[in-house]
Amino acid sequence: QVQLVESGGGVVQPGRSLRLSCAASGFTFSSYGMHWVRQAPGKGLEWVAVIWYDGSNKDYADSVKGRFTISRDNSKNTLYLQMNSLRAEDTAVYYCARAHEPYCKNGVCLWFFDLWGRGTLVTVSS
Amino acid sequence: DIQMTQSPSSLSASVGDRVTITCRASQSISNYLNWYQQKPGKAPKVLIYAASSLQSGVPSRFSGSGSGTDFTLTISSLQPEDFATYYCQQSYSTPQITFGQGTKLEIK
């Protein structure tokens, strides 16, 4: 079954750390770029981070740059998000998502998210 | 950063109505625009990619158009299961991705 399953969410105090995992199954994980997208309660979607299919490149939203680290273990078909120095505004449901790349033109690639996990809730509160 | 602005933010409509949602980019993004549907408590689902391509398995009543800075998502005849929140998303500035703020489609 093609799926993504997140885990690791919970309640954490401001300033502390948490690591999220996303287990992939049913497809060739090592062939896809992977992303984290979050959604604060009652709010819209916010892209968080991306990692290339082979882990060679990563990028982050400005809101988490320097605090969050995305990584992957292709031998375990697992994506991670290490979250440090957590803030109240990091409270959200965190989704992992697979990026489909139908084409690239002049070095710009179309990415859309064709597979999502169910999400894991992270609550930052004292 | 490329900003994506959707309008309206919310919309009331009836089953059978034709509905259009607009997404505007702060700069030209060619056709690097995707649309998602999200229902409460669920992950988003892609409907349209590359501005006008229908994702496999998505009903044909959904369509997308536009290029450059202005895009539309149209539902030709609303069905009860279409009441949800819709988001646009640009990937022109990859690896940085941005979403619109969402349009909540409610039953009139």
Side-chain angles (χ1 to χ4, degrees):
Chain A
Q1 185 179 2
V2 176
Q3 63 178 0
L4 298 169
V5 179
E6 302 94 339
S7 60
V11 180
V12 61
Q13 293 179 329
R16 303 298 290 266
S17 299
L18 204 61
R19 188 177 85 155
L20 305 183
S21 299
C22 169
S25 59
F27 66 97
T28 306
F29 179 69
S30 60
S31 295
Y32 290 89
M34 295 295 297
H35 297 244
W36 288 97
V37 176
R38 69 184 181 183
Q39 187 169 35
K43 302 298 184 183
L45 301 169
E46 180 187 15
W47 174 79
V48 173
V50 57
I51 186 167
W52 262 239
Y53 70 98
D54 59 356
S56 60
N57 283 297
K58 308 173 186 180
D59 201 11
Y60 303 89
D62 289 344
S63 58
V64 307
K65 199 169 291 184
R67 299 187 300 122
F68 290 12
T69 301
I70 189 171
S71 62
R72 65 191 297 159
D73 185 337
N74 285 346
S75 68
K76 295 182 178 179
N77 292 336
T78 302
L79 175 72
Y80 303 99
L81 186 67
Q82 177 68 42
M83 303 186 295
N84 298 332
S85 303
L86 282 161
R87 306 167 179 167
E89 55 264 36
D90 296 320
T91 294
V93 173
Y94 284 74
Y95 296 100
C96 60
R98 183 179 78 177
H100 184 66
E101 184 182 288
Y103 60 78
C104 298
K105 293 178 182 177
N106 299 320
V108 181
C109 299
L110 180 76
W111 287 349
F112 67 89
F113 303 124
D114 66 343
L115 180 65
W116 298 68
R118 291 186 174 184
T120 187
L121 176 61
V122 173
T123 302
V124 184
S125 174
S126 54
Chain B
D1 292 2
I2 298 177
Q3 310 301 319
M4 306 302 294
T5 303
Q6 290 181 230
S7 59
S9 295
S10 63
L11 174 61
S12 295
S14 301
V15 172
D17 284 353
R18 179 183 180 90
V19 167
T20 298
I21 298 169
T22 297
C23 179
R24 175 165 288 175
S26 59
Q27 66 184 72
S28 177
I29 58 170
S30 184
N31 70 331
Y32 288 68
L33 190 284
N34 310 309
W35 289 98
Y36 298 84
Q37 176 194 67
Q38 187 181 33
K39 296 181 179 179
K42 301 293 187 181
K45 168 189 169 184
V46 64
L47 302 173
I48 301 288
Y49 66 94
S52 61
S53 296
L54 191 69
Q55 173 69 344
S56 175
V58 174
S60 59
R61 63 181 180 272
F62 292 92
S63 64
S65 65
S67 184
T69 60
D70 295 314
F71 302 87
T72 59
L73 172 71
T74 299
I75 310 172
S76 60
S77 178
L78 271 175
Q79 298 302 301
E81 61 268 30
D82 299 337
F83 292 94
T85 300
Y86 293 84
Y87 294 92
C88 61
Q89 172 245 316
Q90 68 80 20
S91 71
Y92 186 79
S93 62
T94 52
Q96 296 277 323
I97 300 283
T98 47
F99 291 92
Q101 82 278 16
T103 295
K104 186 172 184 179
L105 180 52
E106 300 175 304
I107 301 174
K108 183 182 286 183

